[in-house]
Amino acid sequence: MSLAKKPLGRLAASNAIFLQCDLQDLFKDRIYRMDSVLRTAKTLNKASGALKLPLIVTEHYVKAFGHTIPELKETWPEDTKLFEKTLFSMAIPEVKKILEQHGDRKSIVLYGIEAHVCIQQTALDLLGLGYEVHLPVDGVSSQRVQDREAALVRLRKAGAFLTTSESLLFELCKDAKSDTFKKLAPLFKVDRDVIMDHL
């Protein structure tokens, strides 16, 4: 009897879509480790532009929570798709339509807030639709630490891949001599000059 192979969750620039979830004004000073979340979101947004990967952004109930934090908007590629929602999950009809249009892209990189509400419900919905979900833990959080931790435990058990922003960017690059690596090198935390001198 052969055992079914577990999915490995390998990322490639040809199969990825980035989703930024509800990083809005009201939450800026309320989220645990928001500095890390914002830094990660900026990096991943820039990476999506450099690699020409689709980026979908949502804002939850704007009337109550405000719009996206302005400094993040500056990192969006020109073709970023932005939607308002009241559903906690990002898997609203408009977003699902875009995902369907990119039928060959089945790996979702999901980051934003809050881990135990909109991130969790989005991830579970996408897993249910057959997508692989990658959660950079430095880009996902909640107001309370225990909510964040519980959400990450649940989502890992549900089949989401927990990773870091740097790890997934290196996986997208594959090779230090690739054009992809040259495009993303300035985003890595290691010394840029050392990298660029060897390209």
Side-chain angles (χ1 to χ4, degrees):
M1 181 187 298
S2 62
L3 297 175
K5 288 186 178 178
K6 281 182 146 185
L8 297 177
R10 297 309 304 268
L11 275 170
S14 61
N15 70 10
I17 296 181
F18 284 23
L19 270 62
Q20 177 191 298
C21 183
D22 305 348
L23 288 168
Q24 292 160 256
D25 284 326
L26 184 75
F27 295 102
K28 187 171 184 180
D29 299 318
R30 303 185 183 195
I31 297 295
Y32 171 69
R33 294 292 311 275
M34 187 61 156
D35 57 334
S36 173
V37 174
L38 289 177
R39 184 168 56 250
T40 297
K42 290 176 186 176
T43 298
L44 295 177
N45 291 346
K46 291 176 183 177
S48 72
L51 299 180
K52 302 190 184 313
L53 304 181
L55 172 62
I56 302 172
V57 177
T58 57
E59 297 176 336
H60 186 75
Y61 196 36
V62 171
K63 184 178 179 181
F65 301 122
H67 288 285
T68 299
I69 297 167
E71 63 195 86
L72 289 175
K73 294 180 181 180
E74 298 171 4
T75 64
W76 292 350
E78 286 186 11
D79 57 352
T80 297
K81 302 294 188 290
L82 171 64
F83 300 101
E84 294 184 18
K85 65 182 180 66
T86 57
L87 194 71
F88 293 115
S89 172
M90 288 182 74
I92 58 176
E94 297 89 340
V95 171
K96 288 196 284 188
K97 183 177 180 181
I98 292 176
L99 295 179
E100 289 166 3
Q101 290 170 353
H102 294 283
D104 54 335
R105 295 181 180 270
K106 294 297 184 182
S107 296
I108 305 294
V109 176
L110 173 63
Y111 48 99
I113 59 174
E114 287 192 71
H116 66 299
V117 186
C118 297
I119 290 290
Q120 179 171 282
Q121 293 190 36
T122 300
L124 293 173
D125 282 347
L126 293 174
L127 289 167
L129 291 170
Y131 291 92
E132 290 185 344
V133 176
H134 300 259
L135 297 173
V137 296
D138 49 335
V140 173
S141 196
S142 297
Q143 295 181 65
R144 291 171 293 276
V145 177
Q146 63 268 30
D147 288 329
R148 177 183 183 274
E149 291 176 348
L152 293 178
V153 169
R154 180 177 179 186
L155 291 173
R156 181 168 57 188
K157 289 184 177 180
F161 295 98
L162 271 56
T163 184
T164 66
S165 57
E166 186 165 290
S167 177
L168 70 85
L169 290 178
F170 271 102
E171 188 167 3
L172 286 170
C173 290
K174 307 290 185 200
D175 189 325
K177 291 185 178 180
S178 69
D179 289 338
T180 303
F181 186 71
K182 293 176 184 178
K183 290 177 182 177
L184 296 188
L187 301 178
F188 295 130
K189 296 173 185 176
V190 294
D191 187 87
R192 298 180 187 182
D193 294 331
V194 172
I195 293 174
M196 300 310 291
D197 285 347
H198 290 83
L199 294 180

